């Protein structure tokens, strides 16, 4: 009599199962970021170099006989998101644009979410900060803010991905935060306050960019510009204002020559924010000076 088999029954993985597992391992290895460091300064008076990861340095960058590569996949995905919005992006759509099978993309990236993170890294690495950096904390923060503003103007979909408590975290994204924090180095601010300043400036840009991105999205979706939309609403607005209930808005409407320019308003809001931060900086400098006087013999 044969003895009954003991223990757990062996489990077998089919070839399809093994292939899926292999793709997952390859994709996981490909998703590991590789950074490229450049010399950087320490302090407001020194150059502020920033590590930037070029497209050719993305993980898994190679060109097999199929013609696919990480660079082509990511660049194609960015182009789709730029022209049609993030909702139009899918692995199937990217594969169709490249003339490849959808499953072949998973040799390079594990999922759509992972692809979006790589897209953000590429976009953040498209341009570098000036080296040497401009003098003064305010000028440096202005550079950081305008650079971020320009990124949302060129790639509106990035705002939706980055303005979240759980944004993509990669070398190029972190380099932006590092650069803004270095702008405040040496001013007597503790690390947490320095980080809050950097986040406050970025939040101001993102709040203003919400109008910009929604305007671009509305024009892309409807084909109607903001100027055309305002002109169509003018009769109804005038009828409401003539009621006399809104004197401030009536005066504004009577005196303004054109619709609000979003870029001009962004510059105004950025200057006012930096004016407020200047008060913080000067108060900390005063505290430091008083501590020095009080501690001297």
């Amino acid at each position: 009599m044969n003895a009954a088999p003991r223990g757990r029954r062996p489990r077998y993985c089919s070839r399809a199962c093994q292939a899926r597992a292999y793709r997952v391992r390859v994709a996981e290895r490909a998703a590991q970021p590789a950074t490229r460091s450049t010399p950087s300064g320490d302090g407001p008076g020194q150059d502020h170099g920033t590590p930037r990861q070029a497209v050719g340095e993305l993980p898994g960058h190679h060109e097999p006989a199929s013609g696919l590569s990480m660079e082509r996949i990511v660049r194609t995905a960015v182009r789709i998101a730029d022209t049609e919005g993030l909702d139009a992006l899918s692995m199937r759509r990217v594969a169709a644009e490249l003339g490849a099978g959808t499953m072949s993309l998973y040799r390079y990236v594990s999922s759509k979410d992972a692809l979006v993170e790589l897209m953000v890294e590429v976009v953040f690495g498209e341009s570098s900060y000036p080296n040497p950096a401009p003098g003064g904390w305010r000028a440096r923060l202005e550079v950081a803010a305008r650079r971020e503003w320009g990124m949302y103007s060129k790639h509106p979909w990035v705002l939706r991905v980055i303005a979240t408590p759980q944004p993509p975290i990669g070398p190029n994204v972190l380099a932006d935060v590092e650069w803004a924090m270095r702008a405040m180095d040496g001013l007597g601010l503790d690390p947490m306050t320095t980080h809050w300043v950097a986040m406050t400036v970025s939040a101001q840009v993102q709040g203003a960019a919400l109008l910009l991105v929604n305007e671009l999205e509305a024009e892309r979706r409807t084909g109607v510009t903001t100027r055309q939309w305002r002109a169509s609403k003018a009769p109804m607005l005038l009828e409401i204002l003539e009621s006399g209930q809104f004197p401030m808005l009536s005066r504004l409407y009577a005196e303004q020559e054109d619709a609000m320019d979003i870029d001009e308003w962004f510059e105004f809001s950025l200057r006012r924010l930096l004016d407020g931060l200047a008060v913080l900086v000067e108060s900390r400098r005063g505290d430091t000076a008083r501590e020095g006087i009080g501690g001297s013999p």
Side-chain angles (χ1 to χ4, degrees):
M1 179 180 296
N2 295 331
R6 293 184 177 182
R8 182 178 300 175
R9 296 180 60 187
R11 299 179 63 185
Y12 298 97
C13 186
S14 66
R15 293 184 61 183
C17 173
Q18 295 175 18
R20 286 195 298 271
Y22 173 76
R23 287 196 298 270
V24 170
R25 291 196 300 273
V26 171
E28 288 175 347
R29 289 197 298 268
Q32 297 299 318
T35 60
R36 173 173 56 89
S37 298
T38 57
S40 60
D42 297 316
Q46 300 185 22
D47 296 352
H48 287 186
T50 54
R52 290 294 177 195
Q53 189 175 26
V55 179
E57 295 173 330
L58 285 173
H61 175 73
H62 56 279
E63 191 86 21
S66 65
L68 285 179
S69 67
M70 180 67 75
E71 178 180 355
R72 289 192 65 204
I73 292 171
V74 175
R75 287 297 186 190
T76 299
V78 168
R79 184 172 66 252
I80 293 172
D82 285 348
T83 57
E84 302 179 40
L86 201 59
D87 290 336
L89 180 68
S90 68
M91 300 293 277
R92 182 185 299 274
R93 176 63 191 282
V94 174
E97 288 288 320
L98 293 171
T102 302
M103 295 306 297
S104 64
L105 269 61
Y106 289 95
R107 295 169 54 197
Y108 303 88
V109 60
S110 59
S111 65
K112 176 184 173 181
D113 289 341
L115 175 59
V116 171
E117 291 193 5
L118 290 173
M119 292 162 59
V120 170
E121 268 294 283
V122 166
V123 167
F124 267 79
E126 284 182 340
S127 62
S128 299
Y129 282 109
N131 192 359
W137 66 267
R138 181 164 182 151
R140 293 187 179 98
L141 288 181
E142 286 179 351
V143 169
R146 293 190 181 109
R147 182 182 179 280
E148 187 174 356
W149 178 258
M151 180 177 62
Y152 297 139
S153 302
K154 184 178 180 181
H155 307 287
W157 57 270
V158 178
L159 178 64
R160 173 175 161 186
V161 180
I162 205 70
T164 169
Q166 300 178 9
I169 297 177
N172 290 343
V173 174
L174 294 180
D176 275 35
V177 182
E178 177 76 9
W179 205 92
M181 291 181 67
R182 284 182 176 179
M184 308 300 291
D185 191 23
L187 299 179
L189 304 179
D190 60 85
M192 181 59 73
T193 303
T194 302
H195 182 253
W196 283 350
V197 168
M199 292 298 94
T200 297
V201 173
S202 182
Q204 175 69 24
V205 178
Q206 291 175 0
L210 184 62
L211 288 178
L212 173 68
V213 168
N214 285 341
E215 179 183 52
L216 295 173
E217 174 61 23
E219 290 184 8
R220 184 190 64 79
R221 187 180 67 253
T222 66
V224 178
T225 66
T226 299
R227 186 185 300 274
Q228 293 169 333
W229 178 86
R230 287 178 178 271
S232 68
K233 298 295 182 180
M236 181 180 67
L237 177 61
L238 282 173
E239 182 178 352
I240 296 174
L241 294 180
E242 287 174 356
S243 67
Q245 298 180 36
F246 308 99
M248 298 299 294
L249 290 174
S250 297
R251 179 182 174 186
L252 171 66
Y253 189 82
E255 293 183 0
Q256 73 175 8
E257 296 181 359
D258 202 351
M260 178 188 72
D261 182 271
I262 294 181
D263 290 287
E264 184 177 350
W265 173 71
F266 163 71
E267 289 292 336
F268 172 85
S269 65
L270 175 61
R271 289 193 296 269
R272 301 295 77 79
L273 173 64
L274 295 177
D275 288 345
L277 291 177
V279 176
L280 171 66
V281 171
E282 291 304 318
S283 67
R284 292 299 174 91
R285 282 175 172 170
D287 292 342
T288 302
R290 285 189 291 273
E291 291 173 1
I293 294 174
S296 61

